[in-house]
Amino acid sequence: MDGSAPSLPLPLLALVAVLTAVPMVVALKKVRGYPARFVIFAIWLRYIMSAFHEVTFSPIVAGLSLNALGSVAIAGIGLLLVAPRHFLLKPLLPVYALILLSLISAAANDGLFTALNAAVKHIYFMVLMIAVYRALLENDGPRFFAPLLWAFAPLLVFQLLSIGLGAVKASEFDGSSSYIGGYNHEATFSIAMATFFVVACFAVTLPRLIQALLSATLLGGIILANYRTTMLAVLPLAAIQLVSSAMFSFVREQRVILAVIISLVTLAGIFVLAGVSAERFNDLAVFFGDPGQYIKPQAEFSFDERRLLSGRVYIWSGYIYAWLDGTTLNHLVGFGPDSWEEIFKVYPHNTIVAYLYELGWAGVFLLLVFWFTMAKLAVQAPAEDRATLVFAHLSFLFMNLSTMALWQIEGVIFYAIICGFSLFRKVESGAIKSQLKASLRPV
């Protein structure tokens, strides 16, 4: 179910890396401040390195791959660029709590070293989120998103090449195909494409026609990547973008009627898509028809039940019942960060299930506090951006229910961007205490 896809030919990957580096460097020159340049370069570098997965995923030093070392380097550079006072932001408190809990859980199980990966990802998130906030602050807000789009250019180029070369991955039990640009897995690539789509939605300074064409192209790319979780996750955001962009083209008196019409058309479109892809999404109807019947040990699953939702329900059962069989300490703080790798063949495919197994009840509680704290920033944003930000948060949270977006650096990038923009809009709207606003002034 989760087999890796072969990468594109290395000479071709190298050529794309060089060619896409040119507009990326131009974008670096168009923005002001080191935080903005850091964000653009860090994202571009991650997508390029992930494309070379047959090279960058192999351990080379102390069990760490080039990709892992790259993440450590980016997190370290970010720590040097971000002013220390920004780490005192109250919304970041749940992140510190999760890092501390990871250390406690690791110490209670296999040792502190096992918490390194989790700590790096949390630090990566914090520095990128703060850098996005500073980039917006120093580059006239959403104007920063237009040059940031160039960091995502490799994704489209790689996908087009995979289509042209016929580099397709048959990834599901139903034999469906995924065009993922030679990336390791459709989950990683589709989350990166969803991030590209979200940034395009944020780039309101682009000419409306160009923004619309780019958004439509990216939605098509997400469909070609054919990862069901991501396709469903971006649907609400795509719908709200269609409604909001159309509404603001009409006078206020006409917007309510127009919103109703577009909403009905969008809903009809979703039903049509569901009808055309009935076989692809049939598992969802089966599962939600009676989800309670799947709460049972893995040994009690029938052959067809083990295949449901690409095996996810069966996988979740294994993790949940393994956690239930643990000690009281395991129930509280879990079996330790990344401890699943020693027991299970595949990762949990659900961030909440993963946190329950690795960090116990305490981890699930802090994870929900973390998500709620960040979503609250979006709710407090000005009205013109509130809907887009809220739906972007909902898209990310939905992804975590059927894959582990927060476990992948590509998902961390997605979340850092929407959280950084949410923080910027909240601060800008004045919905923050004066002393905190003073602490966030650019240096």
Side-chain angles (χ1 to χ4, degrees):
M1 183 186 76
D2 289 310
S4 298
S7 64
L8 296 175
L10 288 179
L12 188 58
L13 289 175
L15 178 61
V16 173
V18 172
L19 292 178
T20 59
V22 175
M24 186 272 296
V25 171
V26 173
L28 295 181
K29 294 181 178 181
K30 287 186 176 181
V31 296
R32 295 192 298 269
Y34 289 112
R37 296 181 184 119
F38 168 75
V39 171
I40 294 172
F41 176 74
I43 294 175
W44 176 86
L45 179 65
R46 176 65 189 189
Y47 295 152
I48 289 294
M49 291 187 68
S50 292
F52 287 84
H53 63 84
E54 292 186 350
V55 176
T56 59
F57 279 25
S58 301
I60 58 170
V61 178
L64 297 177
S65 65
L66 280 174
N67 248 15
L69 292 173
S71 298
V72 172
I74 290 298
I77 294 171
L79 286 172
L80 297 176
L81 289 177
V82 174
R85 66 174 183 271
H86 291 108
F87 289 104
L88 300 178
L89 286 166
K90 287 184 179 179
L92 295 179
L93 290 178
V95 184
Y96 290 117
L98 284 169
I99 294 175
L100 178 60
L101 178 60
S102 297
L103 294 172
I104 293 172
S105 179
N109 289 282
D110 296 326
L112 288 174
F113 183 77
T114 59
L116 175 63
N117 187 39
V120 168
K121 288 176 183 176
H122 286 118
I123 294 172
Y124 194 110
F125 167 80
M126 287 194 293
V127 298
L128 194 61
M129 173 187 168
I130 296 171
V132 168
Y133 163 76
R134 286 292 306 273
L136 291 165
L137 195 67
E138 298 171 6
N139 289 272
D140 302 320
R143 291 186 180 278
F144 168 66
F145 289 120
L148 176 60
L149 288 169
W150 288 107
F152 297 85
L155 299 173
L156 272 183
V157 176
F158 287 136
Q159 188 176 51
L160 289 173
L161 288 173
S162 69
I163 295 171
L165 297 174
V168 59
K169 180 186 177 186
S171 58
E172 298 289 347
F173 290 123
D174 59 10
S176 59
S177 301
S178 302
Y179 291 93
I180 54 175
Y183 273 62
N184 180 60
H185 192 269
E186 56 269 28
T188 300
F189 183 80
S190 66
I191 290 174
M193 287 292 286
T195 310
F196 197 174
F197 174 70
V198 167
V199 173
C201 292
F202 291 162
V204 294
T205 60
L206 288 176
R208 191 176 297 275
L209 179 59
I210 292 178
Q211 186 188 28
L213 290 175
L214 178 60
S215 297
T217 300
L218 296 176
L219 286 174
I222 292 171
I223 293 173
L224 287 172
N226 198 26
Y227 195 63
R228 178 171 45 200
T229 299
T230 305
M231 285 192 285
L232 291 173
V234 300
L235 268 180
L237 180 59
I240 197 66
Q241 279 298 111
L242 176 62
V243 172
S244 60
S245 61
M247 280 198 305
F248 286 108
S249 300
F250 291 78
V251 297
R252 186 179 299 274
E253 291 76 12
Q254 299 172 330
R255 289 178 184 173
V256 175
I257 298 176
L258 184 66
V260 172
I261 294 174
I262 293 180
S263 298
L264 291 174
V265 171
T266 302
L267 187 62
I270 292 173
F271 278 111
V272 170
L273 178 63
V276 172
S277 308
E279 184 178 352
R280 183 79 173 90
F281 292 93
N282 183 58
D283 281 0
L284 291 171
V286 173
F287 175 73
F288 286 110
D290 187 9
Q293 68 172 306
Y294 304 107
I295 303 176
K296 56 187 177 182
Q298 285 186 327
E300 298 179 14
F301 277 69
S302 68
F303 178 75
D304 288 336
E305 288 174 338
R306 293 185 182 195
R307 295 161 58 96
L308 191 65
L309 294 180
S310 301
R312 280 168 173 75
V313 180
Y314 180 72
I315 293 169
W316 299 338
S317 172
Y319 279 91
I320 292 171
Y321 277 88
W323 173 78
L324 288 172
D325 289 338
T327 65
T328 301
L329 182 62
N330 294 138
H331 291 167
L332 181 61
V333 298
F335 292 90
D338 293 332
S339 53
W340 65 268
E341 296 177 350
E342 301 176 2
I343 307 296
F344 297 93
K345 293 182 179 179
V346 294
Y347 79 142
H349 283 77
N350 182 300
T351 302
I352 295 176
V353 171
Y355 271 63
L356 182 68
Y357 182 81
E358 295 180 4
L359 302 177
W361 280 122
V364 173
F365 172 75
L366 289 177
L367 174 68
L368 296 178
V369 171
F370 175 37
W371 285 346
F372 174 80
T373 301
M374 294 301 167
K376 187 179 177 181
L377 295 174
V379 172
Q380 295 174 331
E384 63 266 24
D385 292 311
R386 187 180 304 144
T388 302
L389 280 170
V390 168
F391 275 85
H393 279 270
L394 290 175
S395 292
F396 179 77
L397 297 183
F398 184 88
M399 288 178 190
N400 282 275
L401 298 180
S402 290
T403 190
M404 288 168 59
L406 202 56
W407 179 69
Q408 305 170 58
I409 290 295
E410 286 75 14
V412 171
I413 291 171
F414 185 114
Y415 204 39
I417 290 174
I418 62 176
C419 290
F421 190 28
S422 299
L423 175 64
F424 170 77
R425 280 309 195 200
K426 178 187 173 183
V427 173
E428 188 184 47
S429 70
I432 195 167
K433 293 182 179 180
S434 59
Q435 60 266 33
L436 182 55
K437 183 183 287 188
S439 73
L440 293 175
R441 289 172 185 159
V443 293

